[in-house]
Amino acid sequence: MSLFKSRSTESSKPKKLWKITRQCLELIFESAKSSFPNEFGGLLRRSDLLDDTISELVLLPGTVGGDRHAIFRMHMKPIDYSIVGTVHSHPSTNFSPSDADRQMFARYGKINIIAAYPYTMNSWRAYDGAGNLIELIVVD
Ligand code: ZN
């Protein structure tokens, strides 16, 4: 056994439990449906810096769509500390992040949602910046 703590246990902070409003998720699904068969991308915003609830979707005008994994033109990203992560759709039933997705997550988001086809409450997942599956609680 090693006496060294692994990187993941270095932090003594309690793990944050992030939430998202149902309304925001529904907007994500609607945006994904209207972009289909292309991908759509956006940013996740919380309305209150003291609250860990994602309540707004910010669509990025420069988002590249296409059947390949898309990549956000992140220079479009506003400098805004209420932005907590990214969201994009997959026009397939696969909601696993691609290598390109993982790179994007690592650079830009604490919370990263992938909405997979058919874009329902059962076809999305959330990942942290390292690409690990995380729990995101849906609130009304
Ligand atoms: Zn992707």
Side-chain angles (χ1 to χ4, degrees):
M1 266 185 59
S2 169
L3 293 174
F4 294 101
K5 283 183 176 179
S6 74
R7 274 189 137 193
S8 57
T9 56
E10 265 172 21
S11 169
S12 57
K13 281 188 220 160
K15 223 176 171 183
K16 270 192 179 185
L17 205 47
W18 287 89
K19 290 163 272 190
I20 187 166
T21 63
R22 186 174 302 274
Q23 200 181 20
C24 184
L25 257 185
E26 280 167 359
L27 189 56
I28 288 168
F29 301 146
E30 286 312 306
S31 304
K33 283 174 192 165
S34 61
S35 300
F36 186 82
N38 292 323
E39 296 189 3
F40 98 99
L43 298 172
L44 302 170
R45 173 185 270 164
R46 53 181 167 178
S47 51
D48 183 339
L49 286 178
L50 300 174
D51 187 5
D52 296 331
T53 302
I54 296 159
S55 55
E56 285 175 54
L57 171 64
V58 182
L59 292 169
L60 291 175
T63 302
V64 179
D67 53 1
R68 286 257 152 204
H69 267 38
I71 310 309
F72 293 23
R73 290 187 194 159
M74 293 305 278
H75 60 267
M76 296 295 295
K77 182 180 165 182
I79 298 179
D80 182 341
Y81 295 108
S82 65
I83 301 290
V84 294
T86 68
V87 56
H88 73 283
S89 66
H90 281 178
S92 70
T93 53
N94 178 7
F95 36 60
S96 301
S98 66
D99 289 344
D101 288 344
R102 287 174 187 275
Q103 284 170 25
M104 178 179 76
F105 295 173
R107 290 178 67 185
Y108 299 110
K110 283 185 260 207
I111 307 291
N112 304 279
I113 294 176
I114 295 179
Y117 185 84
Y119 313 130
T120 65
M121 279 292 171
N122 300 317
S123 66
W124 65 281
R125 294 290 185 274
Y127 302 89
D128 66 13
N132 299 311
L133 201 58
I134 53 169
E135 191 178 4
L136 191 56
I137 295 171
V138 181
V139 294
D140 286 305

